[in-house]
Amino acid sequence: MAANPNEQRESSEDLLSVLRSRFGHDRFLPLQEEIMRSVLAGKDALALMPTGGGKSLCYQLPALCQEGVTLVVSPLIALMKDQVDALQARGIAADCVNSMMGPAHNRRAQMAAYNGQLDILYVAPERVATPQFRDFLHALKLDLIAIDEAHCISEWGHDFRPDYRNLQALRDNFPNVPVIALTATATERVRADILAQLRMTGADRFVASFNRPNLTYRVRPKRRTLEALVALLRDLNGGSAIVYCFTRQNTESLAAELAARGFKALPYHAGLEDEERREAQERFLRDETPIIVATIAFGMGVDKPNVRLVAHYDLPKSIEGYFQETGRAGRDGKPSQCVLFFSYGDKMSQEYFIDRIEDDAERAHARDKLSRMVAYGEARSCRRAFLLDYFGEEWRDENCRACDVCLAASEQPEQDDAHTYDATEIAQKVLSAVIRTGERFGANHVVDVLRGSQARRVRQFRHDTLPVHGIAREFAKEELQDIVDQLIDKALLARDTASEYPTLYVTAAGRAFLKKRETLTLVASTPPQENEPREPDGVLFAKLRSLRYEIAMDLNVPPYVVFSDESLRQMAAYFPTESDALLRIKGVGAHKLEQFGDRFIAAIRAYAEEHGIESCNAVPAAEPPPSGKAAAYRGPLSQTHARTLDLARQGLGIDEIAARRGLALGTVIGHLERIVESGEVLELTHVLPPEPRYARIVEAFHAANSDYLLAPVKERLDDSFTYEELRLARLRLRQIQLEPN
Ligand code: ADP
Ligand code: ZN
């Protein structure tokens, strides 16, 4: 490759003065200067820098030092315009060509480049392959080709884009133009792939450290997640937070739950209108809404300095994705938190989707990525070292002081005597139970056996006949689970995660412990205040919701009338496949069981069988509802419900509320239904039909023997009665039903 004539001209001062005068920065970030020198010397370069490392400058600044045009290939069409605007605002001649800009704009931009008026031209990867564009490029003086997000060229990466394969042709057409490939995420394999595909094996390689010293990494079990999240959000101190969820629906419901708890939070996902998304992003950037609850659609190009928390409510699909998302925290260098809520239920939901990938190689690849992510969640060693190791970087410090594992290790090891106890005997019992059940079961099952459970699965394997069955009845389930965790910590037990469901086995140290009858001290767990709820299976929950929706549509009732979210969540956690188990689910009474039980049981059974999941018919009994009536669903109200409630409490009729709020009558009634379910106190008299009509409707409800089905009631009344009136009367009946005696 011909040496660049500019090479001699750019002394250190020159580069620095351009940095200061044109970009307004005082000094280079690590590796920036070295990369620029390589590029200006006409060499190919591969630059790996973490998000926020300052990659763009590595080609933007050299572009200003050269006569011709720097071509930048970037996959993010939506962000190109922002990048160009930012450069133009600094007086830098830049423009872009892509499908979003329209032909007139594109023609003008190309003309400007052709006339030597541009330093930087951004282009989308699909365009570079077209013959017309290639001819256009040949007519330019190209100094440099910069390939942003270069990992997109590799199928081994987490974000493969077939369009990136066009770049090979680009490279072949311009063999003498140096190429710089930039990325924030690349494992050794992806790096090699980038270099091979772009035929740049002689490139200088620059790998900045991926360590983000100001970020603390933590993994929390996904239990009481909302409370845990709320506690984290209370600590923001004026900073902002991004909470990542797996599904669009979850972003919306979680944002609503947070809003109901007084946080300013907005959802963000690809299913929202462009306008809504832009609005949410802008409010976030302007600090008006400090919390964004988003799918991974959020974040590309978001360069907000004061993000103090990046929380993952659900398990990410890959370490690459996780690292990129957490990379958005603490870009101002101040201490910030990255918290992952981890559960095996999430692992299973992810696998459910992975299993549906048709291409064999792709499916294996996705499984592989996920298993590394799960390994991160399970790691008992430094999280930082784990992440850096993933990207091929060695972390030498014993203790990073900024991850949950290291922080726990550096706490005083002498334990408070009051909190420890001699656990020799119970440890022996637990280890024996693991051995007696053949080391083929997970903690839940072993705990069930220890507590003498008669669950179907226990009987099915005849574990109720083992001598260990019921030998630890005096321990609560949670205590035993905690003891299992501590035995794993002490490496007496281990989890085999190679199988689909993590099973327990006794380690060599565990066997030695049993044999030598050593004594063992464990930390007493504080018994939880309430029964620790099991985690629902996300996919089953979604299925049950759509079943509920179907039924609700058929019956013309709001979905929660069929079952509340809480009921569905419990079903998705315990997989009840027998009527009496279903009856123990919160909110399932004899009446609903009769109406809907079969369909829900069938759905649960099918799902459990398909996935080989044990149904836990030992559902903990719901607290008995007052006077045996169905319990109310006391979830938080969203903003919109709260507003309707305010107006109703001011004594407005439903027509007035509908008019004031610009809502349909049916929607307002829907709000009232939700409000009544929530247990809020609300005087309904002024919204009910006038007394004689109300009385007639109530009679009809009784005659039809219906709590909530409207059609049979309507049949018994003349046509002057509307469905709205019926719904309002039903509302009052429901309220009476919910009132404590
Ligand atoms: P990346 O693409 O690697 O995520 P960017 O190129 O978007 O990073 O740069 C991240 C942030 O760092 C931007 O706000 C940018 O203005 C800033 N930045 C880049 N170089 C420097 C520098 N030398 N000094 C200070 N800030 C810089
Ligand atoms: Zn650590």
Side-chain angles (χ1 to χ4, degrees):
M1 235 152 276
N4 191 303
N6 290 326
E7 187 183 358
Q8 307 307 327
R9 273 199 355 239
E10 306 300 337
S11 66
S12 289
E13 278 97 284
D14 287 339
L15 287 182
L16 202 57
S17 75
V18 179
L19 179 73
R20 289 180 177 156
S21 63
R22 305 296 292 275
F23 292 93
H25 301 313
D26 287 337
R27 59 186 70 81
F28 288 107
L29 296 176
L31 293 186
Q32 279 182 327
E33 188 177 359
E34 292 87 331
I35 294 171
M36 291 175 197
R37 300 212 158 274
S38 160
V39 162
L40 288 169
K43 296 212 201 133
D44 289 339
L46 172 66
L48 277 97
M49 297 167 105
T51 308
K55 282 184 286 298
S56 338
L57 207 72
C58 298
Y59 54 82
Q60 289 170 347
L61 196 152
L64 302 187
C65 303
Q66 295 180 300
E67 281 164 35
V69 179
T70 289
L71 184 73
V72 184
V73 181
S74 164
L76 308 170
I77 299 187
L79 297 179
M80 269 186 206
K81 177 140 190 338
D82 292 346
Q83 285 167 322
V84 167
D85 287 349
L87 288 168
Q88 285 177 351
R90 296 183 187 284
I92 294 167
D95 214 328
C96 61
V97 172
N98 69 46
S99 52
M100 265 169 77
M101 301 302 292
H105 170 99
N106 290 342
R107 223 174 299 120
R108 236 180 301 126
Q110 287 184 227
M111 206 48 156
Y114 181 76
N115 290 332
Q117 293 161 340
L118 284 191
D119 286 321
I120 304 178
L121 181 65
Y122 283 86
V123 61
E126 64 270 17
R127 193 165 295 251
V128 297
T130 66
Q132 296 91 319
F133 199 77
R134 199 170 55 216
D135 292 345
F136 157 71
L137 290 179
H138 273 296
L140 299 182
K141 175 168 168 18
L142 270 190
D143 290 328
L144 174 66
I145 297 172
I147 298 177
D148 207 0
E149 313 286 348
H151 59 276
C152 295
I153 202 170
S154 173
E155 280 175 311
W156 301 111
H158 61 113
D159 195 14
F160 172 59
R161 303 192 185 209
D163 280 337
Y164 260 61
R165 288 286 154 87
N166 292 331
L167 301 180
Q168 293 188 339
L170 182 68
R171 173 73 201 208
D172 292 343
N173 283 310
F174 298 91
N176 295 320
V177 179
V179 170
I180 176 172
L182 308 109
T183 172
T185 54
T187 55
E188 191 48 57
R189 189 176 205 174
V190 173
R191 277 179 223 181
D193 205 17
I194 294 172
L195 293 172
Q197 304 245 10
L198 293 173
R199 301 186 234 303
M200 46 191 287
T201 38
D204 284 343
R205 301 182 193 196
F206 300 93
V207 183
S209 172
F210 277 52
N211 183 33
R212 298 284 309 275
N214 60 318
L215 301 190
T216 298
Y217 299 96
R218 290 176 209 273
V219 176
R220 295 265 202 105
K222 192 169 170 177
R223 277 188 238 144
R224 303 205 193 145
T225 324
L226 185 59
E227 284 85 340
L229 179 66
V230 163
L232 290 166
L233 294 175
R234 290 202 204 287
D235 264 0
L236 284 180
N237 287 325
S240 47
I242 308 174
V243 182
Y244 283 104
C245 295
F246 184 50
T247 66
R248 295 173 179 185
Q249 199 179 17
N250 284 358
T251 65
E252 298 200 358
S253 54
L254 182 55
E257 302 244 22
L258 292 175
R261 283 169 169 73
F263 292 99
K264 285 189 183 162
L266 281 175
Y268 184 105
H269 58 74
L272 297 175
E273 298 290 322
D274 286 354
E275 191 48 47
E276 278 176 287
R277 263 187 310 180
R278 196 162 31 237
E279 161 106 15
Q281 177 160 333
E282 267 167 25
R283 291 187 59 89
F284 181 67
L285 292 177
R286 282 188 257 128
D287 273 331
E288 290 165 4
T289 303
I291 302 166
I292 286 282
V293 184
T295 62
I296 54 171
F298 181 76
M300 278 286 196
V302 171
D303 182 17
K304 191 175 195 309
N306 66 337
V307 176
R308 293 277 81 87
L309 169 72
V310 172
H312 282 74
Y313 213 73
D314 302 310
L315 185 67
K317 291 203 260 293
S318 70
I319 299 276
E320 283 95 335
Y322 184 65
F323 196 77
Q324 195 164 44
E325 283 137 29
T326 54
R328 294 176 184 130
R331 296 184 70 154
D332 54 6
K334 302 228 173 79
S336 307
Q337 307 293 318
C338 309
V339 178
L340 165 68
F341 290 102
F342 178 74
S343 79
Y344 288 100
D346 277 0
K347 174 188 174 226
M348 290 196 282
S349 322
Q350 293 277 16
E351 281 171 347
Y352 175 85
F353 291 107
I354 291 176
D355 287 345
R356 271 147 193 77
I357 298 176
E358 282 183 7
D359 184 86
D360 287 343
E362 213 183 298
R363 191 176 54 248
H365 185 50
R367 268 192 173 275
D368 186 45
K369 296 262 165 210
L370 180 64
S371 73
R372 299 298 303 270
M373 194 64 231
V374 171
Y376 173 82
E378 290 174 333
R380 303 261 163 194
S381 55
C382 175
R383 312 263 179 213
R384 182 177 309 275
F386 187 107
L387 291 172
L388 293 177
D389 174 70
Y390 187 84
F391 295 110
E393 191 176 333
E394 200 182 337
W395 175 260
R396 286 185 195 83
D397 284 3
E398 274 286 303
N399 186 310
C400 82
R401 298 191 186 283
C403 81
D404 51 354
V405 178
C406 293
L407 287 170
S410 54
E411 271 167 17
Q412 288 307 324
E414 314 96 70
Q415 281 149 354
D416 189 346
D417 280 349
H419 289 106
T420 61
Y421 67 103
D422 179 354
T424 309
E425 192 184 319
I426 183 64
Q428 287 170 349
K429 287 178 176 172
V430 171
L431 296 180
S432 306
V434 171
I435 292 173
R436 288 300 191 125
T437 51
E439 299 179 290
R440 293 187 297 123
F441 295 86
N444 274 332
H445 185 81
V446 172
V447 168
D448 276 352
V449 172
L450 283 162
R451 298 193 66 235
S453 154
Q454 292 292 337
R456 188 144 75 127
R457 201 170 143 91
V458 171
R459 282 184 281 130
Q460 182 186 336
F461 288 98
R462 318 211 62 218
H463 289 162
D464 52 338
T465 63
L466 294 175
V468 289
H469 188 252
I471 53 169
R473 272 181 219 279
E474 68 278 24
F475 286 83
K477 198 168 187 159
E478 295 72 23
E479 284 176 292
L480 286 173
Q481 260 151 357
D482 186 65
I483 290 169
V484 167
D485 284 345
Q486 293 194 56
L487 293 176
I488 292 174
D489 280 342
K490 299 213 177 286
L492 300 178
L493 268 182
R495 269 200 184 99
D496 178 4
T497 51
S499 57
E500 194 169 358
Y501 306 104
T503 54
L504 293 175
Y505 65 91
V506 178
T507 62
R511 287 174 199 278
F513 164 81
L514 281 177
K515 216 158 144 196
K516 292 188 200 141
R517 306 191 169 270
E518 291 165 8
T519 57
L520 180 76
T521 309
L522 291 180
V523 183
S525 64
T526 37
Q529 302 305 307
E530 49 190 281
N531 264 350
E532 198 73 78
R534 273 172 61 136
E535 274 306 314
D537 177 300
V539 176
L540 177 58
F541 179 61
K543 281 186 183 240
L544 296 180
R545 279 182 73 119
S546 44
L547 174 59
R548 176 181 67 175
Y549 184 78
E550 240 173 63
I551 295 176
M553 284 297 112
D554 284 351
L555 301 178
N556 191 25
V557 297
Y560 63 77
V561 164
V562 179
F563 284 124
S564 71
D565 274 1
E566 186 52 31
S567 303
L568 298 190
R569 240 178 247 130
Q570 280 204 356
M571 290 180 206
Y574 294 95
F575 293 84
T577 53
E578 327 270 350
S579 311
D580 53 341
L582 192 63
L583 257 181
R584 292 163 74 93
I585 296 282
K586 207 187 254 174
V588 182
H591 193 65
K592 289 199 182 183
L593 179 72
E594 191 190 305
Q595 295 262 331
F596 314 122
D598 288 349
R599 292 182 70 178
F600 280 85
I601 285 180
I604 295 166
R605 210 173 258 163
Y607 184 83
E609 265 161 29
E610 190 187 341
H611 292 86
I613 296 170
E614 60 178 299
S615 56
C616 172
N617 282 318
V619 179
E623 307 117 56
S627 72
K629 288 168 189 159
Y633 169 60
R634 292 179 198 275
L637 290 181
S638 71
Q639 295 284 5
T640 183
H641 293 126
R643 245 173 283 145
T644 297
L645 175 60
D646 284 347
L647 294 176
R649 280 191 177 146
Q650 289 166 30
L652 270 58
I654 52 165
D655 297 306
E656 281 170 293
I657 298 176
R660 281 251 198 128
R661 301 218 43 207
L663 296 173
L665 212 58
T667 309
V668 173
I669 299 176
H671 286 185
L672 295 178
E673 286 166 346
R674 176 72 179 74
I675 289 165
V676 165
E677 287 304 309
S678 80
E680 288 287 345
V681 178
L682 175 62
E683 176 55 65
L684 286 173
T685 339
H686 62 282
V687 303
L688 294 179
E691 190 51 49
R693 291 179 77 78
Y694 174 69
R696 294 270 312 278
I697 299 173
V698 172
E699 245 169 65
F701 266 100
H702 288 316
N705 191 20
S706 166
D707 275 351
Y708 39 80
L709 299 189
L710 298 181
V713 179
K714 182 108 169 53
E715 267 172 27
R716 292 183 152 73
L717 294 162
D718 67 67
D719 285 348
S720 76
F721 288 87
T722 64
Y723 268 110
E724 277 81 23
E725 284 176 299
L726 265 53
R727 282 177 77 183
L728 288 168
R730 181 178 66 189
L731 195 61
R732 176 66 191 134
L733 292 173
R734 175 71 174 150
Q735 196 179 44
I736 295 168
Q737 196 184 46
L738 288 172
E739 273 162 12
N741 296 357

